[in-house]
């Protein structure tokens, strides 16, 4: 209960600060030094959503704490309202509008050309840019991200079945899952990849049951990328006594005995790059891709793997990141 | 509790007053109830009879006055629980029964304690059987009350009071819902209670019942106590005069006046539902200017007769014609437009919407007529005028046409129904229990309107369980028994004895 | 593959929160109060369950927190719909909307402490029994599912065999009859709503603490309404309501499983809802307690 009260205190402190900031933003000269940015989230309370969104939240903190930006976060923005939300920010004098999901690409394409004085940054996977100069994308190479996951899972599995559970088969997920299949095949030709989708990014119970089903089908390693629902996948993995490879951020604290490792996406690093580009005026309309080298693997769980196995896995990841291990690029389709 | 010896005082109400806002429902009423006596409370609707008893039963708190039960002042905190604990039981005019629960559950419920997690159902059942046997009730404890007839439901209410150990029994309009036979049985039972030493209070409209039974009659009018009369001290006429301030219009007995064409012709009409013949080859005719009475114990096909004519039920055989034109499967709406009007038995369920204002109730069903609406838009002005006219024409006592119907007394609600139905100038009027539960003046008024309508040339089918009403108004009476028309009696041959045996099916083939 | 013990377990996990919430709705409606706010109360129970589990560190304390939050919400409902009284439909909807706002707000305040999942709830078969498939299955059934089944027996007995049950049902069927029997209608309904709220809160905790071990905005996603539908389907009888909840659980579990067969996932996700509509359509005519939805005003 003590922590809870402290949490309330902290939050109110933060809210007061935000109110003070807002006050400062309106009409005072000092606020004009700061870069005003807005970040659009599809989920609510991104700090609590372990994985992709918490990574973004950490990036936002970096913009505020290290680069002194003045950042507003829009949470829980439904798909139909993304474009108008971005538009509102551009109209009200925000210099940078940041999108956090591939699902927002359409809105990005639509809004960016109309507001040439605002920078529209996509901090997620995209295959094309809007027809405009005031845009930039900072995104991971999900295929190589998948390959690293595949290298780990392919060598750690005992049943030769690994499961990937995601919300919906969007491009980032398809890239990631394709990478997993090819990466795992390189180290374990007998591996079978079971893919499944829970249907959305928010329903924890459903994601949990879909994952439980994959475990029942024989998977002993589970990878999850279902937004809020990923927690349900971890829970299914824990209850099913299987191993879980954490997505984007470190998951070990949630279930130490279940998490085999987590493959970290350096989301804060993309924000860092964006902030530096803005500071130096070097923002270009291009896709800045963060490849295999930017992904880091958390220490592998010694409970489940022998030292030899760990060394083998770590070695394969290192060789892949160094370009010594080649993995074919094959685009698989998922339903 | 004082031992209830006959003649000893059970309850004394002294100077009871009850005000709702500025309206005085009771004004300084004093009544004494004794064991082994029947006390009748009479008066018109709204005279304060039920209010007085609700005060005694702890449902309402009096504004002034005091109550002594068993000689002791009950003080100001008097609740229904207290009343029950002091052996007072009350049956309201509208029963307080849970239709979805069994007879036994209903009877036992008021005596149960919240802390009783394992009630002794076996014992309750035995006690129920004992009581039933003692008073000659024939009820199965497991039947759902909703499946019982009205008369049986009343028996459940009585048993409930007795089960609670009530020695002071209050019955609010107990005969209003009963057939004549059921009424007689009930009245006999009340005498039995009296003889066993119970104190009985009966609230009634029917003066003859009060005179027959009661040891004392208290007459209330507009919340004031007009008189308390001991047995043998007054006649019906005396008491009727006390009850009403204005002169009572009694409709004259109808002679066989000249009648015109046949309006309604039913030819061998039958209605079978699940193999039960609810109507069995009924043939009858109603002519212009005639009031044809339909007698019978409730549930012998009266409702079905009305519903088949208006089109709520379709017949399984036979034909119904209006002025020789067969109705076939025409809709209710078409039949109403064709000149059939209906005053249904249960006005709340079938005739009025309590939550709507009087004006809306007056035009209901006629709202599509050009004087009330054009292209679906209501013409407020015309409706208001029409309502005003009807309110005056049919003597509806209300402050304005915008008053919600549910705030009117039963008699005035019924006047709204009659007003609506009669102002459409119908050719055939089906009046089903038109005066049930109404007070003296309203009853007389409504009967008079029906007679006028007939004299103006409409055919009237009067379905009633009140033989006096039928004999007073009708030119002929058809008796229904088990869905069959078992006899037709002309006005000059009316004889209650004869009706009774016809209604009991004694002369049915 | 599709129908096996795992399938049954999955259905049970899905059905458990529904069963408990439906029981609450059943009690409230048997006392004659429309409990449309069940969804909102469930949501509050879901959040406070997680808060309790995380701050105290024991899932069972989470259950107690969820239950307590539900009782409080139930009493709020009683104040609004029984004491005042206001329209039960409008107030129920308002409660649901308010609950979404309230829980989202508290969830954000506590966000930093809720980044991890709550401790798991469950037990494992003792060594000797773990080899036995039946014992293993029985131990795999969520503890709250067992609790729910026990509660159904208790509530059934209390409602249909005990004296307070008959009194409460009388209030729900006919306030006039209840009042003339000297029952304090307002008090009965207040107690019923406190119980109903407690159960709805417990159901919410069963969803978060007992099942997915975390909270998200609007995590109940209409489950409170499904519980309401189960009560209507069950015609206000405990065993048929229980059956309705299980049916829905089976339907959703089936939907999740049939996805493996291919085709459009959203089509299969419709199954439980179609099932609900279908069953409701073919069920006998509803027989709601008569007083449900009617405000009770004392003279």
């Amino acid at each position: 209960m003590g922590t809870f009260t402290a949490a309330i205190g902290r939050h109110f402190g933060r809210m007061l600060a935000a109110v003070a900031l807002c006050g400062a933003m309106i009409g005072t000269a000092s606020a004009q030094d700061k870069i005003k940015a807005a970040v659009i989230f599809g989920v609510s309370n991104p700090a609590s959503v372990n994985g992709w969104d918490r990574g973004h939240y950490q990036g936002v903190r970096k913009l505020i704490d290290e680069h002194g930006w003045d950042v507003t976060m829009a949470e829980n923005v439904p798909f139909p309202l993304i474009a108008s939300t971005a538009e509102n920010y551009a109209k009200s004098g925000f210099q940078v509008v940041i999108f956090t999901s591939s699902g927002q690409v359409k809105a990005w394409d639509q809004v960016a050309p109309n507001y040439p004085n605002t920078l529209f940054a996509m901090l997620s996977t995209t295959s094309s840019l809007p027809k405009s100069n005031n845009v930039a994308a900072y995104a991971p190479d999900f295929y190589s991200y998948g390959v690293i996951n595949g290298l780990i899972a392919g060598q750690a599995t005992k049943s030769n079945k690994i499961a990937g559970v995601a919300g919906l088969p969007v491009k980032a997920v398809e890239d990631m899952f394709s990478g997993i299949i090819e990466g795992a095949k390189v180290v374990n030709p007998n591996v079978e990849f079971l893919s499944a989708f829970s249907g959305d990014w928010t329903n924890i119970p459903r994601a949990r049951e879909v994952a439980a089903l994959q475990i029942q089908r024989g998977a002993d390693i589970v990878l999850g990328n279902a937004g809020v629902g990923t927690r349900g996948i971890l829970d299914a993995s824990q209850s099913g006594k299987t191993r879980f490879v954490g997505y984007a951020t470190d998951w070990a604290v949630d279930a130490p005995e279940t998490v085999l490792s987590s493959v970290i996406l350096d989301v804060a690093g993309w924000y860092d790059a964006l902030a530096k580009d803005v500071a130096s005026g070097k923002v270009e309309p291009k896709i800045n891709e963060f490849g295999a080298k930017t992904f880091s693997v958390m220490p592998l769980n010694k409970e489940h793997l022998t030292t030899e196995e760990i060394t083998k896995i770590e070695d394969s990841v290192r060789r892949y990141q160094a370009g010594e291990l080649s993995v074919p690029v094959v685009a698989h389709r998922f339903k | 509790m004082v031992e209830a010896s006959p003649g000893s005082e059970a309850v004394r109400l002294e100077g009871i007053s009850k005000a709702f806002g500025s309206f005085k429902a009771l004004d300084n009423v004093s009544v004494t109830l004794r064991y082994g006596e029947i006390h009748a409370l009479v008066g018109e609707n709204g005279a304060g009879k039920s209010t007085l008893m609700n005060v005694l039963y702890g449902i309402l708190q009096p504004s002034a006055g005091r109550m002594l039960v068993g000689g002791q002042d009950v003080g100001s905190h008097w609740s229904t629980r207290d009343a029950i604990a002091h052996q007072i039981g009350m049956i309201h005019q509208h029963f307080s029964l849970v239709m979805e629960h069994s007879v036994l559950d209903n009877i036992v419920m008021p005596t149960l304690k919240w802390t009783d997690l394992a009630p002794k159902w076996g014992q309750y059942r035995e006690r129920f059987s004992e009581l039933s046997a003692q008073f000659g009730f024939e009820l199965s404890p497991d039947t759902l009350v909703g499946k019982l007839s009205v008369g049986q439901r009343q028996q459940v209410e009585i048993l409930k009071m007795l089960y609670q150990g009530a020695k002071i029994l209050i019955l609010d309009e107990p005969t209003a819902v009963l057939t004549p036979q059921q009424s007689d049985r009930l009245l006999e039972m009340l005498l039995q209670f009296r003889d066993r030493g119970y104190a009985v209070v009966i609230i009634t409209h029917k003066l003859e019942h009060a005179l027959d039974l009661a040891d004392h009659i208290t007459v209330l009018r507009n919340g004031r106590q007009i008189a308390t009369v001991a047995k043998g001290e007054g006649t019906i006429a005396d008491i009727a005069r006390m009850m009403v301030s204005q002169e009572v219009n009694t409709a004259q007995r109808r002679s066989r006046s000249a009648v015109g064409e046949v309006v309604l012709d039913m030819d061998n009409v039958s209605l079978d539902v699940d193999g039960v013949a609810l109507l069995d080859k009924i043939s009858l005719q109603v002519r212009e200017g005639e009031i044809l009475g339909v007698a019978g114990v409730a549930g012998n096909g009266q409702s079905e007769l009305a519903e088949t004519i208006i089109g709520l039920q379709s017949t399984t055989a036979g034909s119904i014609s209006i002025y020789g034109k067969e109705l076939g499967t025409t809709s209710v709406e078409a039949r109403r437009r064709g000149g059939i009007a209906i005053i249904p038995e249960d006005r709340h369920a079938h005739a009025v919407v309590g939550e709507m204002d009087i004006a809306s109730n007056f035009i209901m069903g006629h709202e599509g007529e050009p004087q009330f609406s054009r292209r679906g838009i209501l013409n407020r002005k015309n409706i208001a005028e029409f309502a005003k006219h009807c309110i005056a024409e049919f003597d509806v006592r209300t402050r304005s046409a915008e008053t919600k119907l549910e705030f009117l007394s039963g008699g005035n609600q019924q006047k709204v129904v009659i007003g609506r139905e009669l102002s459409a100038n119908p050719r055939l009027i089906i009046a089903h229990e038109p005066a049930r539960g109404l007070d003296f003046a309203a009853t007389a008024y409504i009967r008079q309107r029906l007679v006028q309508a007939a004299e103006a040339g409409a055919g009237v089918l009067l379905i009633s369980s009140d033989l006096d009403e039928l004999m007073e108004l009708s030119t002929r009476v058809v008796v229904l028994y088990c869905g069959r028309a078992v006899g037709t009696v002309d006005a000059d041959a009316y004889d209650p004895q004869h009706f009774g045996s016809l209604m009991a099916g004694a002369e049915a083939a | 593959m599709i129908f096996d013990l795992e399938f049954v377990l999955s259905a049970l996990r899905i059905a458990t929160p529904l069963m408990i919430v439906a029981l609450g709705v059943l009690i409230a409606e048997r006392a004659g109060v429309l409990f449309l706010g069940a969804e909102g109360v469930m949501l509050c129970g879901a959040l406070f369950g997680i808060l309790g589990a995380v701050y105290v560190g024991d899932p069972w304390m989470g259950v107690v927190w969820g239950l307590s939050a539900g009782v409080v919400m139930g009493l709020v409902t009683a104040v609004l719909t029984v004491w005042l009284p206001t329209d039960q439909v409008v107030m129920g909807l308002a409660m649901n909307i308010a609950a979404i706002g309230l829980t989202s707000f508290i969830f954000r305040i506590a966000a930093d402490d809720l980044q991890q999942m709550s401790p798991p709830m469950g037990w494992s078969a003792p060594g000797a029994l773990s080899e036995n498939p039946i014992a293993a299955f029985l131990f795999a059934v969520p503890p709250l599912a067992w609790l729910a089944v026990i509660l159904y027996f208790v509530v059934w007995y209390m409602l249909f065999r005990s004296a307070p049950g008959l009194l409460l049902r009388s209030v729900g069927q006919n306030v006039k009859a209840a009042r003339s029997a000297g029952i304090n209608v307002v008090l009965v309904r207040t107690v019923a709503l406190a119980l109903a709220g407690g159960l709805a809160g417990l159901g919410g905790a069963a969803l978060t603490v007992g099942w997915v071990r975390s909270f998200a905005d609007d995590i109940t996603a209409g489950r409170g309404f499904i519980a309401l539908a189960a009560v209507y389907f069950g015609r206000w009888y405990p065993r048929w309501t229980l059956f309705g909840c299980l049916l829905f659980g089976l339907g959703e579990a089936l939907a999740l499983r049939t996805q493996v067969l291919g085709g459009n996932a959203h089509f299969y996700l419709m199954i439980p809802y179609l099932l609900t509509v279908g069953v409701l359509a073919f069920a006998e005519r509803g027989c709601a307690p008569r007083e449900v939805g009617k405000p009770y005003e004392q003279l």
Side-chain angles (χ1 to χ4, degrees):
Chain A
M1 196 63 211
T3 33
F4 181 61
T5 326
I8 295 176
R10 270 207 305 284
H11 187 80
F12 278 125
R14 216 182 287 152
M15 285 201 334
L16 286 176
V19 171
L21 268 176
C22 289
M25 271 154 31
I26 302 164
T28 57
S30 66
Q32 287 180 353
D33 311 326
K34 290 191 164 186
I35 289 168
K36 266 178 80 179
V39 187
I40 298 173
F41 284 97
V43 299
S44 57
N45 208 2
S48 74
V49 185
N50 209 347
W52 179 258
D53 294 286
R54 190 189 288 173
H56 277 269
Y57 180 73
Q58 288 162 354
V60 170
R61 299 296 324 163
K62 203 172 187 100
L63 290 181
I64 297 169
D65 298 339
E66 292 180 21
H67 298 281
W69 284 28
D70 174 12
V71 186
T72 301
M73 292 188 350
E75 297 178 14
N76 204 4
V77 182
F79 278 102
L81 291 182
I82 292 164
S84 62
T85 307
E87 219 161 28
N88 283 337
Y89 283 125
K91 276 186 202 158
S92 17
F94 282 78
Q95 289 137 288
V96 186
V97 174
I98 297 171
F99 297 98
T100 60
S101 155
S102 302
Q104 300 169 345
V105 167
K106 213 174 135 195
W108 186 42
D109 284 341
Q110 189 187 326
V111 178
N114 300 335
Y115 299 90
N117 298 325
T118 305
L119 170 65
F120 292 89
M122 170 60 67
L123 273 84
S124 181
T125 298
T126 176
S127 47
S128 64
L129 289 171
K131 292 176 186 61
S132 179
N133 284 324
N134 55 329
V135 294
Y138 298 80
D141 170 7
F142 264 109
Y143 190 85
S144 27
Y145 181 76
V147 169
I148 293 177
N149 276 285
L151 292 174
I152 299 170
Q155 292 174 81
T157 179
K158 307 279 192 291
S159 67
N160 287 333
K161 278 182 182 168
I162 57 180
V165 179
L168 291 162
V170 296
K171 182 177 185 302
V173 169
E174 291 203 319
D175 286 355
M176 177 179 161
F177 280 9
S178 302
I180 295 172
I181 293 173
E182 297 304 322
K185 238 192 255 172
V186 167
V187 288
N188 182 353
N190 297 324
V191 79
E192 188 189 343
F193 181 70
L194 309 173
S195 66
F197 300 93
S198 63
D200 60 34
W201 303 94
T202 53
N203 196 324
I204 304 179
R206 200 179 286 161
R208 189 203 184 282
E209 295 305 321
V210 169
L213 185 62
Q214 307 311 314
I215 294 164
Q216 199 200 334
R217 291 170 76 193
D220 67 343
I221 308 278
V222 180
L223 301 104
N225 177 2
V228 181
T230 314
R231 289 187 161 198
I233 302 171
L234 172 59
D235 182 41
S237 180
Q238 192 175 15
S239 313
K241 305 215 166 24
T242 57
R243 316 285 152 247
F244 182 76
V245 179
Y247 170 69
T249 52
D250 186 7
W251 289 75
V253 279
D254 284 303
E257 76 289 355
T258 302
V259 174
L260 188 66
S261 176
S262 299
V263 186
I264 310 294
L265 284 172
D266 182 21
V267 184
W270 317 336
Y271 279 81
D272 203 38
L274 166 70
K276 282 177 180 154
D277 286 352
V278 169
S280 59
K282 276 193 230 153
V283 183
E284 284 175 46
K286 65 166 189 179
I287 300 169
N288 300 284
E289 198 165 61
F290 293 80
K293 290 197 182 87
T294 65
F295 309 132
S296 48
V297 176
M298 295 307 289
L300 289 147
N301 195 326
K302 293 196 179 70
E303 299 282 314
H304 305 303
L305 297 170
T306 63
T307 323
E308 277 169 36
E309 287 170 323
I310 291 175
T311 318
K312 229 175 111 191
I313 293 171
E314 283 176 345
D315 185 55
S316 63
V317 172
R318 187 194 53 74
R319 284 195 294 138
Y320 176 69
Q321 286 179 320
E324 293 162 20
L325 179 69
S326 78
V327 176
V329 177
V330 182
H332 295 266
R333 303 284 299 161
F334 301 90
K335 57 173 196 292
Chain B
M1 210 51 221
V2 185
E3 189 50 41
S5 60
S8 67
E9 178 184 298
V11 170
R12 186 138 51 100
L13 302 172
E14 287 185 354
I16 300 289
S17 295
K18 174 70 189 175
F20 295 104
S22 61
F23 172 65
K24 277 205 156 177
L26 284 176
D27 188 3
N28 193 20
V29 176
S30 301
V31 170
T32 302
L33 310 179
R34 291 176 191 285
Y35 291 111
E37 285 191 10
I38 295 178
H39 197 115
L41 286 179
V42 299
E44 288 206 69
N45 287 337
K49 303 168 302 226
S50 302
T51 312
L52 183 66
M53 287 300 109
N54 283 335
V55 168
L56 173 57
Y57 196 53
I59 290 175
L60 296 173
Q61 304 302 318
S63 320
R66 62 178 197 146
M67 287 193 280
L68 292 97
V69 177
Q72 285 182 330
D73 193 334
V74 299
S76 54
H77 294 286
W78 180 248
S79 70
T80 301
R81 280 254 142 171
D82 296 325
I84 293 171
H86 284 77
Q87 303 188 331
I88 301 175
M90 177 161 176
I91 299 180
H92 296 90
Q93 184 174 5
H94 302 284
F95 297 150
S96 306
L97 292 172
V98 181
M99 296 298 163
E100 296 74 13
H101 291 178
S102 71
V103 169
L104 185 66
D105 280 355
N106 266 289
I107 287 170
V108 170
M109 189 266 280
T111 61
L112 291 177
K113 294 206 168 49
W114 283 99
T115 47
D116 190 1
L117 296 186
K120 298 178 182 63
W121 293 111
Q123 284 184 16
Y124 303 160
R125 198 173 279 265
E126 265 174 42
R127 174 108 194 276
F128 168 83
S129 313
E130 279 168 26
L131 275 175
S132 298
Q134 196 178 345
F135 291 96
F137 290 116
E138 284 161 5
L139 291 167
S140 150
D142 299 312
T143 318
L144 293 186
V145 169
K147 299 211 162 129
L148 298 179
S149 70
V150 175
Q152 288 171 312
R153 286 178 198 170
Q154 191 170 52
Q155 294 183 356
V156 176
E157 282 277 23
I158 293 173
L159 263 176
K160 191 161 94 176
M161 285 197 299
L162 297 174
Y163 189 92
Q164 288 168 23
K167 290 273 184 261
I168 302 161
L169 314 179
I170 307 165
L171 297 96
D172 190 352
E173 297 288 356
T175 55
V177 289
L178 300 183
T179 62
Q181 282 82 351
Q182 287 172 328
S183 274
D184 289 346
R185 255 194 88 184
L186 176 78
L187 299 177
E188 268 167 40
M189 194 175 292
L190 295 184
L191 292 174
Q192 197 186 342
F193 286 132
R194 183 194 65 191
D195 297 342
R196 286 176 191 241
Y198 289 81
V200 179
V201 181
I202 173 170
I203 299 174
T204 184
H205 284 136
K206 301 211 166 154
L207 296 182
E208 61 272 29
H209 291 162
L211 280 167
D212 282 356
L213 294 173
D215 299 290
H216 288 95
I217 299 173
T218 294
V219 184
L220 296 180
R221 189 170 80 213
N222 295 331
R224 285 191 309 276
Q225 184 173 9
I226 302 301
T228 296
V229 182
K231 196 176 182 80
E233 286 181 6
T235 64
I236 286 201
D238 297 337
I239 292 168
R241 257 199 308 281
M242 289 184 211
M243 273 168 62
V244 290
S245 39
Q246 74 266 47
E247 281 299 308
V248 180
N249 322 308
T250 28
Q252 71 283 25
R253 182 172 284 212
R254 301 256 297 146
S255 57
R256 290 200 60 157
S257 52
V259 290
E261 276 184 64
V262 174
V263 184
L264 169 73
D265 187 3
M266 297 183 80
D267 185 21
N268 272 315
V269 171
S270 294
L271 172 66
D272 278 20
V273 174
D274 299 330
V276 180
L278 298 175
L279 292 179
D280 191 1
K281 293 185 189 141
I282 300 243
S283 294
L284 56 82
Q285 288 184 336
V286 179
R287 290 171 179 274
E288 286 176 348
E290 178 184 45
I291 297 182
L292 176 66
V294 177
V297 177
N300 276 285
Q302 293 94 323
S303 307
E304 290 77 11
L305 183 68
E307 284 173 4
T308 48
I309 299 172
I310 194 69
L312 284 169
Q313 297 224 39
S314 43
T315 55
T316 36
S319 70
I320 303 175
S321 316
I322 296 287
Y323 284 118
K325 209 173 131 205
E326 207 184 314
L327 292 174
T329 55
T330 42
S331 69
V332 176
E333 202 195 341
R335 290 180 197 212
R336 289 181 66 100
R337 255 187 283 125
I340 306 181
I342 184 160
I343 299 155
E345 181 181 21
D346 183 347
R347 66 175 166 270
H348 299 289
H350 299 298
V352 293
V353 181
E355 292 82 7
M356 286 168 69
D357 61 22
I358 295 172
S360 305
N361 274 290
F362 263 128
I363 64 152
M364 207 169 282
H366 304 287
E367 67 282 337
E369 290 171 14
Q371 67 179 112
F372 300 134
S373 67
R374 271 186 69 197
R375 298 195 195 90
I377 312 285
L378 291 175
N379 184 335
R380 294 265 154 218
K381 200 168 140 258
N382 282 2
I383 292 171
E385 262 173 34
F386 175 74
K388 222 173 124 192
H389 163 79
C390 285
I391 286 170
E393 158 95 33
F394 292 95
D395 191 29
V396 179
R397 309 280 170 85
T398 172
R399 228 174 295 149
S400 83
E402 280 91 54
T403 309
K404 280 189 189 174
L405 191 95
E406 61 191 352
F407 295 126
L408 295 184
S409 71
N412 282 312
Q413 291 186 9
Q414 190 72 331
K415 285 178 187 171
V416 171
V417 176
I418 301 235
R420 177 181 68 213
E421 297 301 322
L422 295 191
S423 46
N425 290 322
R427 306 308 312 149
L428 175 70
I429 301 161
I430 305 164
H432 195 176
E433 305 287 1
R436 175 184 279 181
L438 303 188
D439 64 36
F440 229 87
T443 302
Y445 179 81
I446 278 161
R447 289 178 181 171
Q448 189 192 338
R449 294 300 307 214
L450 287 174
V451 172
Q452 280 174 7
E455 279 166 357
V460 178
L461 187 71
L462 172 66
I463 304 171
S464 176
S465 54
D466 185 341
L467 274 183
D468 293 334
E469 179 173 75
L470 289 170
M471 293 192 288
E472 193 175 298
L473 302 182
S474 318
T475 39
R476 274 184 308 146
V477 172
V478 171
V479 181
L480 289 188
Y481 175 74
C482 288
R484 272 174 295 152
V486 290
T488 306
V489 185
D490 283 324
D492 44 22
Y494 286 164
D495 171 19
Q497 291 295 326
H498 183 210
F499 276 126
S501 62
L502 281 173
M503 282 161 73
E507 294 176 26
Chain C
M1 173 67 229
I2 286 185
F3 298 101
D4 53 15
L5 287 182
E6 263 301 319
F7 171 70
V8 176
L9 283 177
S10 173
L12 271 178
R13 281 193 296 264
I14 294 166
T16 302
L18 296 179
M19 281 160 26
I20 301 176
V21 176
L23 206 51
V25 174
L26 181 73
I27 292 175
E29 303 223 334
R30 274 291 179 182
V33 187
L34 181 67
F35 196 30
L36 215 53
E39 168 86 7
V41 179
M42 185 184 182
L43 191 57
C44 288
L47 175 66
F48 279 90
I50 277 290
L51 290 177
V54 168
Y55 287 124
V56 184
D58 178 355
W60 288 102
M61 279 314 289
V63 170
V64 172
W65 278 43
L67 187 127
S68 313
V71 170
V72 172
M73 291 291 284
L75 288 172
V76 171
T77 311
V79 168
L80 296 172
T81 59
V82 182
W83 296 8
L84 284 177
T86 54
D87 185 278
Q88 294 175 12
V89 175
V90 174
M91 200 43 66
L93 294 175
M95 291 276 292
N96 292 335
I97 296 164
I100 291 177
L102 180 73
T103 51
S104 302
F105 176 66
I106 298 173
F107 181 42
R108 269 157 196 70
I109 293 176
D112 287 349
D113 302 311
L114 293 185
Q115 296 191 1
Q116 290 150 41
M117 295 200 295
S118 70
M121 171 186 270
W123 38 48
S124 43
L129 286 173
S130 61
E131 294 304 311
N132 182 329
I134 295 170
F137 171 76
L138 293 179
F139 274 94
V141 171
L144 288 175
W146 291 117
L147 179 68
V149 172
I150 293 168
L151 282 174
Y152 267 86
F153 276 104
V154 173
V155 169
W156 167 78
Y157 179 84
M158 290 300 290
L159 277 180
F160 292 95
R161 288 291 179 274
S162 81
L166 180 57
L167 295 171
L168 181 133
R169 283 186 293 127
S170 303
V171 171
Q173 293 286 11
N174 188 340
V175 276
K176 239 185 83 212
R179 235 172 48 133
S180 67
I183 298 174
N184 183 337
V185 174
V186 169
L187 183 66
V188 172
R189 291 194 170 167
T190 304
V191 172
L193 276 173
L195 284 173
L199 284 167
L202 183 64
L207 171 67
T208 51
V209 181
W211 184 15
V212 296
R213 296 167 49 208
S214 46
F215 183 85
D217 281 356
D218 197 21
I219 192 166
T220 48
R223 285 186 168 75
F225 289 111
I226 291 166
L228 208 69
V231 173
Y232 283 57
F233 163 68
R235 287 144 66 211
W236 292 266
Y237 285 103
R239 71 191 121 148
W240 291 108
T241 301
L242 181 73
F243 178 68
C245 292
L246 288 173
L247 196 67
F248 189 85
L250 287 170
E252 188 162 352
L254 180 69
L256 293 170
R257 269 156 198 261
T258 40
Q259 277 186 66
V260 182
L261 303 176
N264 186 337
H266 289 97
F267 172 76
Y268 296 113
L269 294 175
M270 263 175 12
I271 293 177
Y273 301 95
L274 287 179
L275 206 67
T276 310
V277 171
V279 167
L280 280 178
F282 287 103
E284 268 182 67
R285 197 172 64 87
C287 41
R290 276 168 195 258
E291 298 289 344
V292 167
K294 293 185 198 159
Y296 167 70
E297 296 193 55
Q298 273 177 302
L299 290 177

